[in-house]
């Protein structure tokens, strides 16, 4: 019997302050951007056109920030969540230097919290992860927490506690891409005349369109990110599982919802932070995803008269058009059609 | 209620001579070419190999001209045809400067015709569109006409009339790529020994092969082109629609037919113009597309002894091999298997 | 009736020593690498990250060697196997210079064996093929043999005989990429601490994971390689064929098995040769592929203390997890779940 396959870490293997260097650095290219375009069809002009990016002060167009998010996020899986029972949440996700075609990203993590469950069979592991490019610049940092089973229920739990988690990234923590200038921002080419000051806190926007998920699409997306969680790929084993079918990677829904949100938020040209997200219900091939957004907050960016940040809640729903803004039912539970509840900041010209 | 989503233009919003700058410029890359290759498997050597392109005088290989066509064509949708009842036709489509990886394309349109329908509920809008690269060079120009509904049936129709449309692009209007030289054209590498002078007007070619369409393929193609027409993506709404299923983007069939036509037309290395095209019947996932071509005309290119242009009619049929050249039935109607009737010019060495 | 489509060669058209220059040279790009990543999700660090490649002495990361294999292998189809009854085997497949994004590959073949079948209706054609890059460097060479039908059963068979085929590539024939240096090989980033000296001949490794094939995935892969064999694409004709459905290209299974083998063989950073392979049973969309490997041999690379070669047998099985290492049944026949039996050499740091 070989011992060469990766067994992953179990709860008792983690230590507070432990540093994890994750495998499989990844060079992201124009090719990845094209596959991503084929999967989501995003129309935000900054990532679509080099000329638009140059007019905003970028030497080269940044790749879609969610493509980067998915690629670096997945790196933590083999060390952190291979033995996970549940992905419980993520928070304080801040986007740093834009990723350009040709950049190579690495991810490292630090264990910042450990709390055994009362049943002694598992525990919650909190990690702060940082992804950097080949120049060592931070491109993404975030906290996630995961419930991980123990290898041996009798093993003593590692010392530790749950960390204090911020409810949202504050505006002063948002990164503005270096050299960004908005004098030449072309609202016609961007696809909408609505800018920061046109949005009101509390405003709700139905993004109108819907898109149906195919098995090969979510599987191609998830492989592109080198995410290897078995539930997304293996129909043979999943046919005997809880749902009888393959589960769509939650990040796939985030990217669909972002692409749909162009219709109503076309000038929200860059996601600056994700405050938190909840994959409220599973999605499967055949589901049609619709989305709507609510403006939760609107803050000018300090020391810039030309730029603001909208805090948005974007809700994705399946097989349910969003003209009625589905969210919670009277009893406070999630509306049955809702599959994603994402809280994030986008940058928008004023 | 938010007013931030794009309502599109209605018939009474258009004016003769109106200029439309379309949103979402697009940088086309080697990545787009690779996704396109995965979707169609085209074997025309000029776009397949840098070495072949260089031997013909190109510094870098041009991207497949239909990839460019689909990308720039789709830009007019949000301004012209979001409220369309029907896409009635296109004509005078001339390919200009080749598009290379890294080029950014923009599309602008001019309203050249307006004619209200007798029912006063809609009208036909004619636009001439021009797509340019980042150097301002024309890469594609074409005319299309669309039936657009009115927002308010009582609104007065805009002044205008239907323009005169040419039945075909004349050979003197075809663009020969700058610097093209054919002395080193390698017929073995190109995959066929048959050149311009070997084809006869009236000759019919069965392209033999067939390819079956999958939902995720046509949807990926259509998203790659940033075409967002709902009928291609949303099974939830289309399940209640006319066909009960998603409709394949007509351009997807054009690209399939072109790729199939390699077997018989391998040296037709570049499409120079599209005289007109008719999407005779809808196609759906599961359909298998076959194709055949007829040589409608063969003209030498003025001032070049080495180059000719074949005017072709390529017919695509579904679930029907084309050895019997399906086209019209005895009563003049389209053969029931025919889905595409495309009239175009290709360049071919003599 | 046109004669412009490619009829392919029949058995009596071949001659011993005949040289075939194959059509459709191909420039392989970062875009192809990204589509390939979307199809297989491979995690071998050398092709995934420019930084990792540079640390090993590569100026630029090599593309996945199987992407190159599929692209150049398919070039021989229109001249050699268009009229094939069966692809009988391949051997002595040696990988030479790595292929980098932007390289253009050409394939040429020489007929090295001809043997008519006793029924006089067909014969076996043996070709040695060499693929070169734009600098004339060999990137892949291999022998394949195919049973080809005769156009005319009464035609005399061409002179010839079957060649002697080596059972395996010997270690001294393996190419080590020029400039390869392993001092800075980072086992953490590569995803495993197991190196050459940790593996034992006879060791069996279950690669654990499984992946389900979709129609659009294998069709996209096969088109990416410009392989146009009708059985992979045409459901209309295959529905009346032997299996009633499209057949998956055998090379697709090789790439799936290689990607799965990362879990247990992460430091086998490059395939250096394929000794032979057998597509034991057909695969179809819907099948879930699992894989396991056995170490057949382990040889140090001459004159290098830092590098070894593992000779592996990788077995792919469908709808059957490989913890029990399915291979042959008691009567010597293949286990019914086995679909691929691949014998090859990988390079691994010591």
């Amino acid at each position: 019997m070989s011992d060469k396959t990766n067994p992953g870490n179990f709860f008792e293997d983690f230590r507070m302050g432990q540093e994890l260097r994750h495998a499989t650095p990844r060079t992201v290219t124009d090719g990845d951007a094209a596959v991503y375009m084929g999967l989501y069809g995003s129309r935000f002009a900054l990532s679509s056109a080099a000329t638009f990016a140059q007019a905003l002060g970028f030497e080269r167009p940044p790749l879609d920030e969610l493509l980067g998010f998915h690629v670096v996020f997945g790196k933590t899986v083999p060390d952190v969540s291979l033995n996970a029972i549940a992905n419980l949440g993520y928070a304080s996700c801040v986007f740093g230097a834009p990723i350009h075609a040709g950049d190579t990203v690495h991810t490292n993590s630090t264990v910042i919290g450990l709390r055994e469950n009362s049943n002694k069979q598992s525990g919650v592991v909190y990690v702060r992860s940082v992804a950097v490019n080949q120049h060592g610049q931070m491109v993404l940092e975030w906290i996630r927490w995961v419930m991980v089973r123990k290898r041996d229920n009798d093993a003593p739990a590692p010392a530790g506690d749950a960390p204090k988690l911020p409810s949202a990234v504050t505006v002063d923590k948002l990164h503005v891409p270096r050299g960004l200038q908005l004098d030449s921002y072309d609202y016609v080419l961007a696809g909408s005349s609505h800018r920061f000051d046109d949005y009101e806190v509390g405003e709700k926007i139905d993004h109108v369109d819907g898109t149906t998920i195919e098995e090969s699409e979510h599987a191609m997306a998830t492989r592109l990110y080198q995410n290897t969680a078995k539930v997304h790929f293996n129909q043979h084993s999943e046919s005997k599982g809880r749902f009888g079918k393959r589960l769509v990677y939650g990040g796939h829904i985030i990217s669909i919802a972002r692409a749909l949100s162009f219709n109503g938020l076309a000038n929200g040209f860059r996601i600056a932070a994700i405050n938190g997200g909840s994959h409220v219900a599973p999605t499967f091939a055949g589901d049609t995803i619709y989305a709507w957004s609510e403006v939760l907050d609107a803050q000018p960016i300090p020391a810039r008269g030309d730029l603001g940040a909208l805090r948005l809640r974007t809700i994705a729903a399946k097989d349910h058009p969003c003209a009625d803004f589905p969210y919670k039912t009277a009893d406070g539970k999630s509306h049955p059609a809702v599959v994603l509840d994402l809280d994030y900041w986008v940058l928008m010209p004023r």
Side-chain angles (χ1 to χ4, degrees), chain A:
Chain A
M1 225 356 236
S2 175
D3 62 347
K4 301 295 193 301
T5 53
N6 176 23
N9 287 310
F10 292 85
F11 181 63
E12 64 265 40
D13 298 327
F14 292 97
R15 293 289 172 270
M16 283 294 287
Q18 185 179 358
E19 304 278 342
L20 299 160
R21 285 177 70 228
H22 301 299
T24 319
R26 174 81 147 82
T27 303
V28 192
T29 69
D30 279 336
D32 297 301
V35 177
Y36 192 86
M37 181 64 83
L39 290 167
Y40 307 108
S42 179
R43 289 182 287 157
F44 291 97
L46 178 59
S47 295
S48 178
T51 49
F52 195 92
Q54 284 154 2
L56 267 56
F58 291 86
E59 266 184 59
R60 292 180 301 143
L63 299 179
D64 191 297
E65 56 274 23
L66 289 176
L67 168 57
F69 172 88
H70 298 315
V71 165
V72 302
F73 204 90
K75 299 304 170 205
T76 64
V77 171
D79 299 311
V80 174
S81 53
L82 211 63
N83 300 305
I85 298 164
N87 286 293
L88 298 174
Y90 43 95
S92 284
C93 175
V94 176
F95 292 80
I99 300 176
H100 299 282
D103 283 356
T104 302
V105 288
H106 292 69
T107 305
N108 298 313
S109 299
T110 307
V111 177
I112 60 166
L114 289 166
R115 199 193 58 212
E116 193 177 37
N117 286 323
S118 53
N119 65 10
K120 308 270 182 191
Q121 296 176 6
S122 59
V124 180
V125 179
Y126 298 79
V127 295
R128 178 190 303 275
S129 301
V130 180
V132 297
N133 64 18
Q134 72 276 20
H135 307 300
Q137 297 168 314
M138 184 276 282
V139 297
L140 195 72
E141 58 182 19
W142 70 98
I143 293 168
R144 66 188 285 237
W145 55 106
V146 183
M147 190 186 299
V148 178
R149 67 173 59 86
K150 288 169 77 175
R151 182 190 293 106
D152 170 8
N153 289 348
D154 296 331
D161 209 341
K164 245 186 131 89
L165 296 174
S167 67
V169 178
T170 52
V171 169
D172 57 296
K173 296 281 178 21
L174 303 181
H175 288 239
V176 175
R178 192 191 312 218
L180 179 75
Q181 55 100 346
L182 297 166
D183 304 346
S184 310
Y185 190 97
D186 187 321
Y187 292 88
V188 173
L189 294 184
S192 168
S193 61
H194 303 291
R195 51 184 80 187
F196 177 75
D197 296 299
D198 298 327
Y199 290 83
E200 284 176 39
V201 173
E203 181 172 351
K204 294 178 176 182
I205 306 164
D206 171 17
H207 300 306
V208 180
D209 306 306
T211 193
T212 305
I213 300 170
E214 296 294 321
E215 292 285 11
S216 58
E217 291 169 5
H218 77 82
M220 279 191 68
T222 312
R223 284 188 298 251
L224 185 72
Y225 315 140
Q226 296 175 309
N227 179 321
T228 57
K230 151 194 311 201
V231 291
H232 308 313
F233 301 112
N234 188 327
Q235 180 58 31
H236 182 253
S237 61
E238 293 311 304
S239 68
K240 300 152 197 154
R242 181 170 159 211
F243 301 110
K245 48 192 171 179
R246 284 163 279 177
L247 202 61
V248 173
Y249 162 55
H252 191 59
I253 307 301
I254 296 178
S255 283
I256 290 174
R258 169 70 173 161
L260 292 172
S261 80
F262 177 87
N263 195 0
L265 290 163
N267 292 315
F269 64 85
R270 182 170 169 84
I271 297 179
I274 299 178
N275 299 310
S278 178
H279 299 282
V280 178
T283 58
F284 306 98
D287 290 346
T288 298
I289 304 299
Y290 295 86
W292 67 274
S293 296
E294 177 173 359
V295 180
L296 298 180
D297 197 359
Q299 294 286 342
I301 294 291
R304 293 199 66 128
D306 58 350
L307 186 65
L310 293 183
R311 184 176 171 188
L312 301 168
R313 168 180 289 129
T314 292
I315 300 292
K318 67 178 174 184
D319 299 338
H320 185 100
C322 289
D324 64 347
F325 308 117
Y327 185 39
K328 305 270 189 194
T329 52
D331 58 1
K333 289 187 181 159
S334 284
H335 184 289
V338 170
V339 295
L340 172 72
D341 179 354
L342 191 72
D343 176 344
Y344 60 110
W345 289 103
V346 298
L347 301 180
M348 193 179 276
R350 300 184 63 176

